[in-house]
């Protein structure tokens, strides 16, 4: 369609002089918006009351969204790569915004399935496309610092929850003056909930479309056939279809799965966990308000870890930093199980470090993929790898809740009841550590012959800033 | 530069560098809401530390 030509990949190429420092804010417009999903729990009480349903029935909305994130990123990764970041960001904005609008209608008419369809399925597709859409573009603009670049964007996914949580409570309070977010048993009215969904949907739609307008591909990347791709270690340029058949992809899938499983288990249980660790009989020395503060601090650590550790990986290398996430993380879990209950300060410091590694793992993985497979279809490969996130999102809470359900009723658990889950996470991290150690350079038989030929023949391996492209972070 | 890249440059329009104002505005657009979220979180976290 001629009117939509500006969405085409070839029309998204930057003019000479376009600042590469406009690309991170463009990516952040998308990631800060879709990061709202981490704050979905602020609606939980209101939704349970609106639909007169169980907590589990409402929790399914979030689970569907996360599973759809993984599936859509995997299935549509190649589409995103072929069609460029702007078309992908617009598609993500439309899906994410529409998800909220359909969800709002579901709340208004009292249809929970419509909320599953809206926020869960349609919104979840927006999550998947939105998550991967700016990542490979950032790597192309910042070839020497892919960890820093993707860390900036993926930090936004963590930061999105920090914004969405108070913003949602603010909107619910405006639309329903009776609503008190400090009272956990008090939900907002159905009309306020529907109006908040509607408002958020429109705000996120506009914000993400601004990101789509700002995004550009570096010169030379408008046409896949002639693009100046940056090869990975050993000159690797591997297509997504071939990459998923390599042992490196399988090992990285295990690495990400283990890292996410361990982190998400704590994240999902954070508030009751800190109270249970300092429980004496029925009472805990940590109040509900303090537990909420702890959850906020974890969100900060999650966000900071995405930026700090991912940026650090540009200096110390991808494999060593995953040795830290998994190996030091493993030790931290043992320390948490052994000394966690000695003082809240010890517990908090250990948990913050663990969650910072969880965030770091997310943000560093695109750069790790770039090192191994090159930039040829790194976005599509990343999309497929995110299925590990979807699987871990189910597995992590299952492990923790499975042990806790057997230990006793919520509100009566103590630190020792968490030990089996924590030791299981130590084993999980150990498996991830070994998988990371086994990652080696991709065999040449997986390289895309045409891309390698065209790359070696072009003689132009410079990055957009005129600096030589890396050979893929050989550390 | 290859022919394709020349074509792309023409399609993309002028060659004037992006103004610092545009870059600043773009960063403000994302950093202001992020700062609001960070502040709100720190206020909540202060209850634990206090």
């Amino acid at each position: 369609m001629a009117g939509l030509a500006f969405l085409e990949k070839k029309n998204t190429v930057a003019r000479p002089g376009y600042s590469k420092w406009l690309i991170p804010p463009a990516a952040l417009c998308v990631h800060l918006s879709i990061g709202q999903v981490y704050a979905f729990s602020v609606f939980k009480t209101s939704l349970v009351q609106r639909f007169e349903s169980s907590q589990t029935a409402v929790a399914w909305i979030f689970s569907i969204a996360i599973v759809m994130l993984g599936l859509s990123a995997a299935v549509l990764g190649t589409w995103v790569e072929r069609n460029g970041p702007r078309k992908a960001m617009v598609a993500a904005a439309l899906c994410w915004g529409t998800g909220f609008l359909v969800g709002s209608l579901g709340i208004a008419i009292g249809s929970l399935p419509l909320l599953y369809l809206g926020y869960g399925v349609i919104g979840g597709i927006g999550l998947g496309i939105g998550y991967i859409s700016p990542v490979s573009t950032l790597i192309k603009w910042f070839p020497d610092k892919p960890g820093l670049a993707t860390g900036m964007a993926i930090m936004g996914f963590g930061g999105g929850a920090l914004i969405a949580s108070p913003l949602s409570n603010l909107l619910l309070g405006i639309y329903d003056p009776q609503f008190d977010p400090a009272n956990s048993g008090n939900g907002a009215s159905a009309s306020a909930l529907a109006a908040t969904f509607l408002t958020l949907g429109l705000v996120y739609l506009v914000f993400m479309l601004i990101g789509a307008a700002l995004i550009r591909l570096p010169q030379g990347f408008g046409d896949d056939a002639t693009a100046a791709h940056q090869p990975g270690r050993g000159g690797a340029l591997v297509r997504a279809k071939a990459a998923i058949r390599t042992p490196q992809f399988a090992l990285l899938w295990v690495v990400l799965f283990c890292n996410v499983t361990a982190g998400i288990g704590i994240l999902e249980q954070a508030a009751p966990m800190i109270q249970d660790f300092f429980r004496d009989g029925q009472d805990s020395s940590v109040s509900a308000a303090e537990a909420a503060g702890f959850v906020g601090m974890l969100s900060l650590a999650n966000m900071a870890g995405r930026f700090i550790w991912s940026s650090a990986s540009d200096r110390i290398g991808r494999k060593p930093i995953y040795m830290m996430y998994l190996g030091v993380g493993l030790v931290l879990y043992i320390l948490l199980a052994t000394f966690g209950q000695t003082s809240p300060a010890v517990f908090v410091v250990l948990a913050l470090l663990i969650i910072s590694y969880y965030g770091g793992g997310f943000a560093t993985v695109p750069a790790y993929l770039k090192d191994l497979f090159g930039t040829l279809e790194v976005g599509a490969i990343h999309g497929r790898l995110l299925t590990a996130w979807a699987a871990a999102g189910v597995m992590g809470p299952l492990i923790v809740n499975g042990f806790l359900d057997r230990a006793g009723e919520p509100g009566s658990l103590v630190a020792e009841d968490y030990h089996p889950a924590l030791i299981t996470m130590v084993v999980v991290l150990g498996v991830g550590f070994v998988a990371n150690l086994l990652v080696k350079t991709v065999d040449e038989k997986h390289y895309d012959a045409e891309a390698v030929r065209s790359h070696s023949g072009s003689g132009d391996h410079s990055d957009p800033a005129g600096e030589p492209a890396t050979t893929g972070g050989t550390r | 530069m290859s022919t394709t890249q020349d074509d792309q440059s023409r399609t993309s329009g002028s060659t004037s560098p992006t103004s610092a104002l545009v870059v600043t505005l773009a960063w403000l657009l994302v950093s202001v809401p992020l700062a609001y979220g960070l502040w709100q979180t720190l206020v909540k976290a202060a209850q634990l530390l206090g």
Side-chain angles (χ1 to χ4, degrees):
Chain A
M1 212 184 292
L4 297 175
F6 66 98
L7 296 177
E8 296 303 325
K9 190 173 184 177
K10 65 178 189 299
N11 296 330
T12 315
V13 177
R15 58 176 160 67
Y18 194 81
S19 172
K20 69 178 180 180
W21 291 105
L22 281 174
I23 309 305
L28 278 166
C29 282
V30 173
H31 272 247
L32 285 172
S33 300
I34 60 176
Q36 184 279 340
V37 72
Y38 270 152
F40 184 76
S41 61
V42 297
F43 300 121
K44 212 168 173 183
T45 305
S46 304
L47 287 170
V48 166
Q49 289 177 5
R50 168 62 181 135
F51 293 105
E52 295 174 349
S53 63
S54 66
Q55 300 232 24
T56 310
V58 168
W60 268 108
I61 303 165
F62 174 81
S63 300
I64 293 170
I66 292 295
V67 169
M68 288 307 297
L69 184 160
L71 291 179
S72 61
V75 173
L76 296 171
T78 306
W79 179 85
V80 169
E81 204 69 55
R82 299 259 157 90
N83 287 276
R86 186 178 293 157
K87 193 185 272 189
M89 283 186 180
V90 169
L94 292 175
C95 287
W96 189 228
T98 304
F100 272 96
L101 302 190
V102 172
S104 170
L105 181 66
I107 294 164
I109 66 171
S111 168
L112 189 54
L114 205 53
L115 194 49
Y116 288 153
L117 173 70
Y119 189 94
V121 177
I122 303 172
I125 294 170
L127 282 174
I129 301 173
Y131 193 92
I132 57 172
S133 57
V135 169
S136 73
T137 305
L138 280 162
I139 290 175
K140 285 166 187 145
W141 276 101
F142 296 86
D144 287 347
K145 293 183 174 62
L148 168 81
T150 56
M152 271 191 279
I154 291 172
M155 170 192 82
F157 197 81
L162 301 187
I163 302 168
S165 182
L167 178 64
S168 303
N169 281 326
L170 183 74
L171 288 171
L172 290 170
I174 290 171
Y175 292 125
D176 179 4
Q178 308 293 318
F179 173 69
D180 175 15
N183 180 355
S184 57
N186 171 26
S189 67
S191 61
L193 205 48
T196 299
F197 265 62
L198 189 67
T199 309
L200 287 176
L202 294 174
V203 167
Y204 286 136
L205 178 66
V206 171
F207 206 61
M208 290 169 80
L209 288 178
I210 293 172
L214 286 176
I215 198 81
R216 296 286 189 283
L217 281 163
Q219 288 195 15
F221 284 94
D223 182 351
D224 286 330
T226 56
H229 287 291
Q230 296 133 27
R233 201 180 300 161
L237 281 169
V238 186
R239 293 212 176 269
K241 226 175 174 179
I244 58 170
R245 295 198 198 101
T246 62
Q248 287 79 4
F249 181 87
L251 289 167
L252 268 195
W253 197 98
V254 172
V255 165
L256 187 65
F257 173 81
C258 293
N259 196 52
V260 177
T261 297
I264 217 162
I266 279 201
L267 266 183
E268 195 260 348
Q269 195 63 21
M273 187 173 176
I274 189 169
Q275 290 190 288
D276 293 341
F277 258 67
F278 301 97
R279 185 177 299 286
D280 183 13
Q282 289 298 306
D283 299 319
S284 171
S285 60
V286 177
S287 70
E290 288 171 335
F294 171 62
V295 174
M297 290 170 79
L298 285 185
S299 301
L300 281 176
N302 183 7
M303 190 181 78
R306 289 168 192 245
F307 181 68
I308 295 168
W309 300 131
S310 184
S311 306
S313 77
D314 289 331
R315 285 190 169 273
I316 64 176
R318 255 52 91 171
K319 192 187 252 193
I321 204 130
Y322 272 93
M323 283 165 70
M324 181 182 80
Y325 298 154
L326 299 155
V328 181
L330 182 157
V331 174
L332 290 172
Y333 262 97
I334 295 172
L335 292 175
L336 191 67
T338 316
F339 302 112
Q341 68 272 40
T342 53
S343 90
V346 171
F347 180 92
V348 168
V349 168
L350 291 172
L352 291 182
L353 269 173
I354 288 172
I355 295 306
S356 79
Y357 290 171
Y358 163 83
F362 268 123
T364 314
V365 89
Y368 207 159
L369 291 171
K370 183 243 177 193
D371 288 357
L372 289 170
F373 301 108
T375 60
L376 186 61
E377 287 190 348
V378 71
I381 301 168
H382 183 217
R384 284 158 172 82
L385 195 77
L386 290 180
T387 51
W389 180 5
V394 176
M395 186 58 75
L398 261 184
I399 291 172
V400 176
N401 291 320
F403 282 115
L404 296 183
D405 283 346
R406 257 178 262 155
E409 292 292 311
S412 66
L413 300 172
V414 292
E416 287 72 31
D417 296 325
Y418 284 82
H419 287 178
L422 294 177
I423 298 305
T424 306
M425 294 310 181
V426 169
V427 175
V428 167
L429 286 168
V431 172
F433 187 83
V434 173
N436 181 53
L437 283 183
L438 295 174
V439 174
K440 301 267 189 293
T441 308
V442 176
D443 194 292
E444 278 186 39
K445 70 182 179 190
H446 299 291
Y447 295 5
D448 186 86
E450 201 178 318
V452 171
R453 200 167 36 246
S454 125
H455 179 268
S456 56
S458 70
D460 177 15
H461 303 164
S462 315
D463 84 353
E467 295 156 3
T470 63
T471 51
T474 49
R475 286 176 293 255
Chain B
M1 191 182 276
S2 70
T3 309
T4 311
Q5 283 172 313
D6 287 341
D7 289 347
Q8 284 161 1
S9 298
R10 279 197 293 274
T11 313
S12 310
S14 74
T15 57
S16 60
T18 309
S19 84
L21 180 67
V22 173
V23 177
T24 308
L25 285 175
W27 276 101
L28 279 176
L29 180 74
V30 291
S31 54
V32 168
L34 194 54
Y36 162 74
L38 281 171
W39 173 248
Q40 292 291 321
T41 308
L42 285 174
V43 166
K44 231 196 268 177
Q47 292 181 324
L48 177 68
L49 300 171

